[in-house]
Amino acid sequence: MEEDHSNPSEVSDKTLDSIAQKKHAAMIERLSNLHQSRLQQAISRKSDSNDSPSFESTKSFLDRFSETKKSIEMEIDRCRRVSESESKSSLKSDLDKVSVSISDLERQVAENSYFLPSYEVRSSLKTISDLKETLESVNYELLPKKKFSFKNKTTKKDQSNVVKNETEIRASDSVLVENCSSIKVRDSPGFHNEEGAVLVKHFGGSKEGDFTLSDLNSCEVRLTGSFRALFIHRLWDCRVYVGPVLGSILIEEVEGCLFMLASHQIRIHHAKETDFYLRVRSRPIIEDCNNVRFAPYLLSYEGIEKDLGDCSLDEETGNWANVDDFRWLRAVQSPNWCILPEEECVNAVNISNLKTPGEVS
């Protein structure tokens, strides 16, 4: 019999090499399987994107926006074709529904603007502005307001009721038309032409309509509760504290002011030397502004957490610091705005106590 002169150490080395080769092959197989799995996931995600909701895709959002716009335009045209012989009893209701549809469309833009290109946001908002202007024209054409006429002399009681009704009026018939960089406010309830006053109002819920602050000088404004939209026009040296706004806040011509605002969309035009403490779902938009500063929302009052939740504003998005300057198209930081330094921020403001001497409500 031939003797086996093999070295035990050589046998051991061969065994180890075999084991190492098997482990290497197993690792290669695992990596290959992982690669295939990732490829499948990528293909699946690409397939799913075709069915993704509007907020996940610019194309799907624009398709839905276009479809809704056409539907609104068709409904406005249908209302225009109502003849004199046909019943117009439901016409006001139909036009009100169109107004709600336009507001819903505007809210969709606000809620999705965090991923939309700036051009598409501007284009969509211009389309909404045109729809509002068309609706206003149709309202005026088909449902003209009655002409004013003198009536019998009113009693003191009647006069007091008139004043009371004026302060409690809602925004169901108010119209705001924004055309490019100008805001036109017509017949909107709110606080107007005040100086050195404390102006207080509580809203019952986000179904309440529009509210306006205009031509205020050295005033303090406290708005609690939630409502649909806020328009701010020509304020100087004012401090404005506002609970959550379900839709949009539009601001024009303010100087030397402080604002605490929470909304789905905030647009600011012609602001100077003003600080904004914001909570906003989409990126704030500024235009023709200078020396404006931004910080997070610091407002509190009894019940604000519920109001924020009802308006889907209970979560801090951080968008207060993601400002789009439509007049600054360069890649570098706009010189027109900055983050408010922490050491210069005011303390949290609680406006729960609304009983202030001399207040206007």
Side-chain angles (χ1 to χ4, degrees):
M1 174 180 285
E2 187 174 336
E3 293 186 14
D4 184 3
H5 298 289
S6 61
N7 192 328
S9 62
E10 291 181 359
V11 174
S12 177
D13 290 343
K14 290 180 180 178
T15 302
L16 292 174
D17 288 343
S18 177
I19 293 173
Q21 289 175 3
K22 289 181 179 179
K23 287 184 177 181
H24 181 71
M27 181 182 69
I28 295 297
E29 183 179 1
R30 286 197 303 272
L31 290 175
S32 177
N33 291 338
L34 180 60
H35 179 66
Q36 291 297 325
S37 176
R38 288 175 175 172
L39 285 177
Q40 284 297 118
Q41 291 176 3
I43 294 172
S44 177
R45 283 196 300 268
K46 185 176 180 180
S47 176
D48 291 342
S49 67
N50 294 328
D51 301 322
S52 64
S54 60
F55 59 81
E56 294 181 358
S57 163
T58 298
K59 181 180 183 301
S60 58
F61 170 81
L62 294 177
D63 289 343
R64 178 172 294 186
F65 182 91
S66 178
E67 182 179 346
T68 305
K69 170 181 173 287
K70 289 179 181 178
S71 176
I72 291 172
E73 290 174 336
M74 289 175 63
E75 183 61 17
I76 292 176
D77 288 340
R78 187 194 66 79
C79 292
R80 274 177 165 158
R81 289 195 298 270
V82 174
S83 66
E84 293 296 333
S85 60
E86 294 175 332
S87 173
K88 291 189 177 182
S89 59
S90 63
L91 187 55
K92 185 179 186 305
S93 175
D94 292 341
L95 291 173
D96 286 343
K97 289 178 181 178
V98 173
S99 179
V100 171
S101 297
I102 295 174
S103 296
D104 289 342
L105 190 61
E106 186 173 25
R107 184 171 65 253
Q108 290 176 27
V109 175
E111 291 175 348
N112 292 279
S113 61
Y114 71 93
F115 74 86
L116 291 172
S118 296
Y119 170 79
E120 299 297 354
V121 174
R122 292 196 297 269
S123 177
S124 298
L125 291 174
K126 180 61 170 63
T127 297
I128 290 170
S129 176
D130 292 342
L131 289 173
K132 287 182 178 181
E133 191 167 4
T134 300
L135 180 61
E136 181 189 14
S137 175
V138 172
N139 264 298
Y140 182 81
E141 176 186 344
L142 301 180
L143 299 172
K145 293 183 178 181
K146 294 181 179 179
K147 293 183 179 180
F148 174 80
S149 62
F150 288 100
K151 295 184 179 180
N152 293 334
K153 185 177 180 180
T154 58
T155 64
K156 290 184 178 179
K157 181 178 179 181
D158 294 332
Q159 290 174 342
S160 66
N161 286 336
V162 170
V163 174
K164 182 179 180 181
N165 289 335
E166 286 178 348
T167 61
E168 296 177 350
I169 189 170
R170 294 296 176 258
S172 58
D173 294 325
S174 67
V175 179
L176 177 132
V177 177
E178 183 189 10
N179 188 1
C180 296
S181 63
S182 65
I183 299 174
K184 302 176 182 178
V185 179
R186 299 190 179 103
D187 302 327
S188 176
F191 295 131
H192 310 275
N193 302 297
E194 296 284 351
E195 183 172 358
V198 177
L199 309 170
V200 176
K201 184 171 180 62
H202 177 73
F203 294 88
S206 56
K207 292 184 178 179
E208 292 206 45
D210 306 342
F211 199 76
T212 297
L213 306 175
S214 68
D215 299 290
L216 304 181
N217 190 356
S218 302
C219 292
E220 181 172 316
V221 180
R222 306 173 184 174
L223 306 181
T224 59
S226 56
F227 54 105
R228 191 176 63 199
L230 176 64
F231 310 122
I232 299 172
H233 198 194
R234 293 192 301 270
L235 269 62
W236 298 272
D237 298 318
C238 291
R239 302 172 74 85
V240 179
Y241 307 108
V242 182
V245 176
L246 180 62
S248 300
I249 297 177
L250 303 178
I251 301 171
E252 184 172 81
E253 293 185 44
V254 297
E255 184 172 354
C257 297
L258 182 152
F259 292 94
M260 287 194 182
L261 309 169
S263 180
H264 282 248
Q265 181 188 32
I266 297 176
R267 305 178 67 194
I268 305 165
H269 302 261
H270 303 287
K272 299 178 181 178
E273 307 288 344
T274 295
D275 292 341
F276 296 91
Y277 294 77
L278 306 181
R279 178 174 295 185
V280 57
R281 287 287 299 274
S282 58
R283 297 165 68 98
I285 296 171
I286 66 171
E287 191 170 358
D288 296 313
C289 298
N290 59 72
N291 292 329
V292 293
R293 306 187 298 179
F294 293 84
Y297 193 58
L298 296 175
L299 186 67
S300 67
Y301 59 80
E302 186 176 350
I304 190 173
E305 295 301 330
K306 181 181 184 303
D307 292 338
L308 288 168
D310 291 344
C311 293
S312 299
L313 289 166
D314 47 335
E315 181 181 355
E316 174 57 74
T317 63
N319 276 329
W320 61 269
N322 298 323
V323 180
D324 281 335
D325 186 349
F326 278 11
R327 290 297 187 187
W328 187 260
L329 303 180
R330 302 178 189 175
V332 297
Q333 165 70 34
S334 165
N336 300 317
W337 71 274
C338 68
I339 301 297
L340 185 59
E342 186 175 353
E343 63 273 13
E344 296 184 33
C345 288
V346 300
N347 295 325
V349 178
N350 190 315
I351 57 172
S352 294
N353 181 14
L354 302 182
K355 299 301 181 181
T356 303
E359 72 183 21
V360 176
S361 61

